[in-house]
Amino acid sequence: MLASAEPTPKIDAKILLMALAALIGCILRVLAVHGELWLDEAWSVLLVQDVGSPLALATEVRHDNNHLLNSLWLWLVGPRALPEWQRFPSLAFSLLALALLRRLVRREHLGWAGAIWAFLVALSYPLIVVGTEARGYSLAIAAAIAIFALALRLRKADAGRGAARIFAIVSTVGAFSHAVFILFFLPVGAWIVLERRRSGHGWRDPVMWAALTAPIGAISALGLFFYRGLAIGGGPQAPYVQVLLSALSLGFGGEELSAFDPQGAAAAAGIGTLVVAIASFEAFLWLREDRAVASLVISIILVPLAAVMVLRPDFILGRYFIISLVFLYLVAARWMARLARQGIFGACLAALLVAGIAAGNLRHCGELFSFQRSHFEEAVAAIISESGPRRETVTIGGGHENRNEIRLAHMRLRGALGSPIVFVSNQAAAAAPPDFVIEESLDRNPTPPPSSMTAFGARYSLKAAYPAPFMSGAALSVYQRDDRR
């Protein structure tokens, strides 16, 4: 008599998708840490060099490019460390964020919505480029995912002090990572208070205070002694709507709004608008199904936007909403999972949307690896080489003087200048025009003109051009004075 065959175990497609997401996400993040530091990373290195102690990082370096825990690492490893080593904590926390998200999805039994969420986060170009630079965003993102999971646990009436203490520790660390975490913590902390009260606990609830006392104290101290009167480094000024639509489009595989690409700008505006419409629809449905959790996620997404509307800063950057993007992916994932349940057509359309978003983000990642974050040091090295060994001093000008001076100072600090470099301020009106001019454009991949002329009639010809990826660096054009050729 033949023995009955053992049943073939079924492969869970959701687990397979999450495993694939984790693998691809880890590979992309490891590849992203290579290349020279771009402007803001180099600026962070410069800011911490004259500090005598870790405490002085907070008391003496009152600048928005000082992300305290990241600055501590840069101070410890020193300015001559390899860029990959300076970015190592960011890489580690970026990988940790993927692991934490996968655990959250499985513990909360989020099903296909959770699997798609993990996939979108793993392949997200904005999360990859921002989460692997030598700054504080990566730790803030990882801490936010951990705190969201802990908040869901603390809403339960039987939550213990152990979870509350972990919440307090992670929140305090997150507060010192980057200001974007504080905007995330505010709605989460308020939500925990409301949920604990709703579950029958009073204002003296020991679990609630064990969770919230330390982070509230840390945020208060940072507000009084660090953020108050903080110097702002500056950034490109653009209409808020343009920045927000560009951020939404990039997050879902589209382009930025750019005057150099009208068709791409129209597509980006369309993608951003569509994301807002779909997210609003899904948020409405979610509120009807689970008002408590839906209200938490919606407030996490909207509080940074509300802060911008209230504070009205001179400029905003898409990266300011990076934690909001993490949770916007959750709302979008829920909608796509809902769509997939609407028969074979809905399932195919949802799969096509996920694949399209992944393809767009992978294309941007490919450009990041190809273009790299910055080519300033490479351009200066080529200028020095072009000048020849006999020339004692090389003069350089450029339209963005502050940017160029910061990066040249960073190169001097690292000992990366093999020849004396003099930066000529206000090169367009200089009596002695510089030998070379480095022009920058924040719009991606413009076609630089083949020649240029200063106010004093010095003519320059295009020597080299370096493209830049989205959200990092600027496209560089190097011009050489014609009478030096």
Side-chain angles (χ1 to χ4, degrees):
M1 184 175 180
L2 295 175
S4 60
E6 291 289 335
T8 303
K10 293 182 179 180
I11 299 176
D12 191 326
K14 297 186 292 295
I15 294 178
L16 184 62
L17 180 63
M18 292 176 62
L20 179 64
L23 176 61
I24 297 175
C26 289
I27 293 173
L28 293 175
R29 284 159 175 77
V30 170
L31 293 175
V33 298
H34 300 289
E36 67 181 59
L37 302 185
W38 76 290
L39 173 67
D40 283 2
E41 294 175 298
W43 202 348
S44 295
V45 173
L46 281 175
L47 287 171
V48 305
Q49 293 314 304
D50 295 329
V51 173
S53 67
L55 180 61
L57 288 170
T59 58
E60 297 178 11
V61 188
R62 307 283 296 282
H63 196 282
D64 71 332
N65 231 31
N66 175 17
H67 306 166
L68 291 168
L69 294 179
N70 179 73
S71 293
L72 176 60
W73 172 259
L74 295 177
W75 181 73
L76 290 172
V77 300
R80 293 176 182 263
L82 292 174
E84 293 80 5
W85 188 234
Q86 291 171 317
R87 294 180 180 129
F88 176 77
S90 295
L91 173 62
F93 290 124
S94 191
L95 298 179
L96 176 62
L98 295 183
L100 291 171
L101 181 58
R102 182 178 181 182
R103 181 176 180 180
L104 167 62
V105 167
R106 299 185 71 172
R107 188 173 64 81
E108 296 296 328
H109 306 290
L110 298 182
W112 271 110
I116 296 172
W117 183 25
F119 189 80
L120 295 178
V121 168
L123 273 66
S124 169
Y125 173 76
L127 291 174
I128 290 169
V129 68
V130 171
T132 55
E133 63 186 22
R135 306 183 78 207
Y137 292 100
S138 180
L139 176 54
I141 293 167
I145 293 172
I147 287 305
F148 180 75
L150 289 165
L152 295 181
R153 190 186 309 178
L154 289 173
R155 70 181 292 215
K156 299 175 182 178
D158 60 349
R161 294 193 185 187
R165 293 190 186 99
I166 297 173
F167 181 97
I169 294 170
V170 177
S171 296
T172 302
V173 171
F176 283 91
S177 64
H178 195 282
V180 295
F181 179 86
I182 297 175
L183 292 178
F184 161 83
F185 177 83
L186 294 178
V188 174
W191 184 82
I192 287 176
V193 172
L194 292 174
E195 287 299 305
R196 296 292 296 180
R197 295 276 293 167
R198 188 175 291 126
S199 64
H201 295 278
W203 285 108
R204 295 183 179 181
D205 177 15
V207 172
M208 181 181 72
W209 289 113
L212 299 179
T213 301
I216 289 175
I219 291 171
S220 300
L222 285 169
L224 287 173
F225 302 110
F226 181 69
Y227 286 113
R228 189 175 62 176
L230 196 72
I232 306 298
Q237 295 185 345
Y240 290 175
V241 173
Q242 177 183 341
V243 175
L244 291 170
L245 288 177
S246 292
L248 290 170
S249 176
L250 276 179
F252 287 85
E255 305 281 319
E256 283 185 334
L257 275 74
S258 170
F260 289 93
D261 183 10
Q263 292 182 341
I271 292 173
T273 303
L274 183 61
V275 169
V276 171
I278 290 174
S280 300
F281 174 72
E282 178 58 34
F284 172 75
L285 295 179
W286 194 0
L287 283 168
R288 295 177 62 182
E289 297 171 5
D290 186 351
R291 179 174 294 274
V293 177
S295 63
L296 172 60
V297 173
I298 293 168
S299 63
I300 289 171
I301 294 171
L302 293 182
V303 161
L305 181 60
V308 167
M309 295 297 103
V310 171
L311 298 176
R312 305 292 296 178
D314 293 335
F315 69 94
I316 62 171
L317 301 175
R319 59 183 55 224
Y320 293 172
F321 308 96
I322 199 68
I323 294 179
S324 294
L325 179 62
V326 173
F327 292 91
L328 183 61
Y329 283 140
L330 173 57
V331 178
R334 283 181 56 90
W335 179 80
M336 284 185 275
R338 188 188 303 275
L339 178 64
R341 295 192 294 269
Q342 309 305 311
I344 185 66
F345 178 76
C348 291
L349 181 56
L352 187 62
L353 286 172
V354 172
I357 294 170
N361 279 282
L362 287 173
R363 178 170 59 89
H364 296 329
C365 289
E367 292 177 347
L368 171 64
F369 306 148
S370 175
F371 298 162
Q372 298 190 1
R373 300 170 194 265
S374 174
H375 288 277
F376 186 84
E377 293 190 15
E378 179 182 345
V380 171
I383 287 173
I384 293 173
S385 176
E386 180 69 23
S387 300
R390 296 182 179 180
R391 191 168 183 86
E392 295 182 358
T393 301
V394 180
T395 56
I396 297 177
H400 296 272
E401 297 179 3
N402 184 54
R403 294 170 177 266
N404 291 334
E405 289 173 339
I406 288 170
R407 287 175 296 200
L408 286 172
H410 176 247
M411 291 183 70
R412 292 190 186 97
L413 184 66
R414 293 182 53 241
L417 288 177
S419 177
I421 295 288
V422 174
F423 186 82
V424 179
S425 299
N426 194 19
Q427 57 88 17
D435 302 321
F436 294 87
V437 170
I438 298 178
E439 297 291 357
E440 292 185 84
S441 175
L442 295 176
D443 285 292
R444 198 174 74 105
N445 296 335
T447 301
S451 61
S452 178
M453 187 189 323
T454 69
F456 277 81
R459 291 185 174 275
Y460 292 81
S461 296
L462 182 66
K463 186 69 178 176
Y466 303 90
F470 287 120
M471 297 183 68
S472 186
L476 298 181
S477 302
V478 179
Y479 289 88
Q480 182 177 7
R481 204 174 71 231
D482 287 347
D483 59 11
R484 291 191 71 257
R485 299 173 67 87

